[in-house]
Amino acid sequence: ETGHPRVLTLVHSCGQSDRQRGIQHLAHEGMVRRIIGAHWGLQPRWMELIANNQVEAYCLPQGQMAQLYRSMACGLPGKMSTVGLGTFVDPRIEGGKMNERTRELEDIIDVMEYGGREYLFYKAIPLDWCLIRGTQADTQGNLTTTDEAMKLEVISAVLATKRWGGKVVA
């Protein structure tokens, strides 16, 4: 209604949607300028915005996204891996860029050599906010994830956000 928030960057590692809810609520042109994520099958509104070049979009491997949170939480500048070499995420091929709007933008993955081997370097992404869900909470702010579908990278994403001075909302 107010036109705010606008031009956000949305980062996700495992879809966070069920084709209707979750991050589907943020799928409005102009609200999100850039989306970086993995596992797109449960996000039809996002796929429509991406296909129509209404948002910058990058697709990265889900496991690398989860591990990138951990690297960021440790204060590292990114995550080095052989995963993705020679695939669509390799910047010499497509760099994980999902549409024409994104193809002209900077790469968020670099190719590097270390010890005579080639690697992809997934660059750290500054996080200002992290939205998480917990099954139960106590008055001190502790959460359980007992009944949550995906809990693999929750603590890493929280710590990565805190590393950048961001805020966590549960």
Side-chain angles (χ1 to χ4, degrees):
E1 291 176 10
T2 66
H4 294 281
R6 307 192 40 73
V7 296
L8 301 171
T9 295
L10 177 60
V11 179
H12 69 89
S13 54
C14 62
Q16 277 79 17
S17 185
D18 64 358
R19 292 189 174 90
Q20 296 173 6
R21 297 178 302 241
I23 63 173
Q24 288 278 96
H25 290 299
L26 302 174
H28 301 284
E29 185 177 10
M31 177 181 261
V32 174
R33 175 183 54 95
R34 175 178 288 183
I35 186 166
I36 302 169
H39 193 297
W40 298 91
L42 298 175
Q43 303 179 58
R45 290 197 316 233
W46 279 114
M47 292 308 297
E48 184 178 328
L49 289 174
I50 292 166
N52 292 326
N53 286 305
Q54 295 172 294
V55 64
E56 301 167 6
Y58 295 85
C59 180
L60 304 181
Q62 183 175 344
Q64 296 308 298
M65 292 282 304
Q67 291 181 24
L68 179 59
Y69 292 138
R70 187 175 65 201
S71 295
M72 291 167 27
C74 292
L76 299 173
K79 166 86 174 67
M80 185 173 83
S81 177
T82 57
V83 172
L85 280 171
T87 72
F88 73 98
V89 298
D90 190 317
R92 296 168 294 192
I93 299 174
E94 293 180 17
K97 297 172 181 177
M98 298 179 72
N99 58 18
E100 288 302 317
R101 176 176 172 169
T102 312
R103 283 191 179 72
E104 297 179 14
L105 301 176
E106 76 277 3
D107 290 323
I108 61 172
I109 304 167
D110 289 332
V111 177
M112 62 177 290
E113 188 177 309
Y114 180 79
R117 265 187 93 185
E118 202 172 69
Y119 293 88
L120 293 182
F121 185 75
Y122 297 85
K123 299 176 189 177
I125 306 162
L127 302 173
D128 297 315
W129 290 90
C130 180
L131 306 177
I132 62 171
R133 177 187 156 103
T135 306
Q136 295 177 326
D138 65 21
T139 57
Q140 296 177 339
N142 298 303
L143 292 174
T144 68
T145 56
T146 309
D147 296 331
E148 302 310 310
M150 297 299 289
K151 43 193 151 190
L152 303 173
E153 66 276 345
V154 171
I155 191 70
S156 296
V158 165
L159 294 174
T161 304
K162 297 307 260 176
R163 176 256 174 139
W164 293 102
K167 298 191 184 307
V168 177
V169 177

